[in-house]
Amino acid sequence: MGKMTNKIAVVTGGARGIGQEICRVFLREGARKVYSIDMNIGEEQHEQLEHVVLNVLERNDIERFIGKLAELNLPIDVLVNNAGITRDGLIHNISSEMWDQVIDVNLKGVFQMTQAIAPMMMNQGQGSIINISSIVGLYGNIGQTNYAATKSGVIGMTYTWAKEFTRKGAYVRTNAIAPGFIHTEMLDSVPEKVLQPIRERTPLGRLGKPADIANAALFLASDDSSFVNGHVLSVDGGLRL
Ligand code: NAD
């Protein structure tokens, strides 16, 4: 029996990168259904995988999607708030637009998805919410004022929900993952001269792989972590040390 047997999961940003790998790992572990929520349709194909084209900023579309699941009586066991963007620059180069875009997707998107799904989980009496933060949200990073603000904010929401969604006996756990630098298309804009020192500073001597984060998400989604709540799990090869 897989660690996700009978579980239904919603993964935002599931079309590529870390989100795609999380979908794969959940399916490999026997998930009953995985919904990949993304602006794009991913290439991954699986009988139990459904690609839903949806912008996490579009509240009406989120409500329509959740309404459809409620009609079908499909309970959501796991929500992974993974969709995120960067618009990097030193602070004097960050325009209002760059600030707003990152704040919107990385904070408001997480807020809206969770606001729509958490009440269902609380009614069911159980669930697991996993927020993808970043090492940058814990320690900051030059050129990422906007991104760091959002990834720290995600940790604040994680701690809040770990308290709020466990009221009245509901067993809805909320945790975060703080990845280090993970080899995905998000890093395409980061020059090699920046990445090489990161490899050198990482005790494990490499960048992360999407599977490193997906395996951590599997732990937090599954019953293996049934007493883990309000935790930020660093998956960074020791880079933070
Ligand atoms: P990615 O850019 O490869 O994939 C992000 C996905 O999110 C894309 O498929 C994109 O279409 C989707 N997306 C973006 N905006 C969306 C929206 N408004 N609505 C729905 N979907 C949207 O990124 P990744 O590297 O896989 O990163 C995934 C998460 O991990 C992000 O939250 C990122 O901040 C975080 N993270 C990444 C790294 C890294 O080094 N790659 C490190 C730390 C944290």
Side-chain angles (χ1 to χ4, degrees):
M1 208 167 93
K3 290 181 186 295
M4 292 294 285
T5 300
N6 289 330
K7 290 194 192 292
I8 299 178
V10 170
V11 180
T12 69
R16 70 178 204 187
I18 291 170
Q20 182 179 54
E21 193 60 28
I22 292 172
C23 293
R24 278 192 195 125
V25 167
F26 284 2
L27 291 162
R28 186 195 72 204
E29 291 296 322
R32 181 173 155 204
K33 189 93 190 175
V34 176
Y35 293 94
S36 161
I37 304 284
D38 204 296
M39 314 257 274
N40 305 304
I41 298 184
E43 285 168 8
E44 192 72 11
Q45 298 286 329
H46 191 287
E47 212 179 323
Q48 307 312 126
L49 173 67
E50 188 168 327
H51 292 281
V52 181
V53 177
L54 196 155
N55 181 343
V56 294
L57 295 178
E58 295 296 336
R59 183 180 283 271
N60 291 341
D61 294 348
I62 296 173
E63 277 166 13
R64 208 169 300 126
F65 165 67
I66 299 300
K68 194 183 91 179
L69 295 195
E71 253 173 45
L72 295 170
N73 205 15
L74 290 175
I76 299 172
D77 301 292
V78 176
L79 166 64
V80 185
N81 284 308
N82 164 78
I85 61 167
T86 53
R87 296 287 180 271
D88 296 348
L90 295 176
I91 187 164
H92 53 273
N93 291 326
I94 295 181
S95 63
S96 289
E97 199 185 17
M98 288 159 77
W99 171 264
D100 288 346
Q101 284 172 345
V102 174
I103 298 289
D104 274 355
V105 177
N106 297 8
L107 277 181
K108 194 173 181 187
V110 173
F111 160 68
Q112 292 195 151
M113 287 300 299
T114 306
Q115 193 181 44
I117 290 176
M120 289 174 81
M121 289 181 167
M122 287 186 73
N123 283 340
Q124 288 154 212
Q126 62 85 33
S128 172
I129 298 171
I130 301 161
N131 295 325
I132 307 296
S133 175
S134 169
I135 191 171
V136 171
L138 290 168
Y139 305 106
N141 195 26
I142 294 169
Q144 293 200 302
T145 296
N146 47 2
Y147 184 75
T150 63
K151 293 301 181 177
S152 299
V154 158
I155 292 172
M157 290 196 282
T158 301
Y159 292 152
T160 298
W161 296 339
K163 295 176 177 177
E164 193 166 321
F165 301 157
T166 44
R167 284 171 307 137
K168 300 179 186 158
Y171 214 92
V172 179
R173 301 179 294 111
T174 310
N175 293 288
I177 298 174
F181 289 79
I182 311 300
H183 215 276
T184 68
E185 285 170 65
M186 185 177 261
L187 289 196
D188 282 354
S189 60
V190 181
E192 185 53 31
K193 68 172 195 251
V194 174
L195 293 179
Q196 187 50 30
I198 290 171
R199 281 189 201 95
E200 285 163 12
R201 278 189 3 244
T202 303
L204 288 179
R206 64 169 175 87
L207 298 180
K209 295 178 284 202
D212 296 320
I213 307 307
N215 288 328
L218 173 65
F219 169 67
L220 293 173
S222 76
D223 298 340
D224 283 353
S225 61
S226 60
F227 202 51
V228 181
N229 184 36
H231 184 70
V232 181
L233 180 56
S234 288
V235 183
D236 61 6
L239 175 61
R240 73 195 175 284
L241 299 173

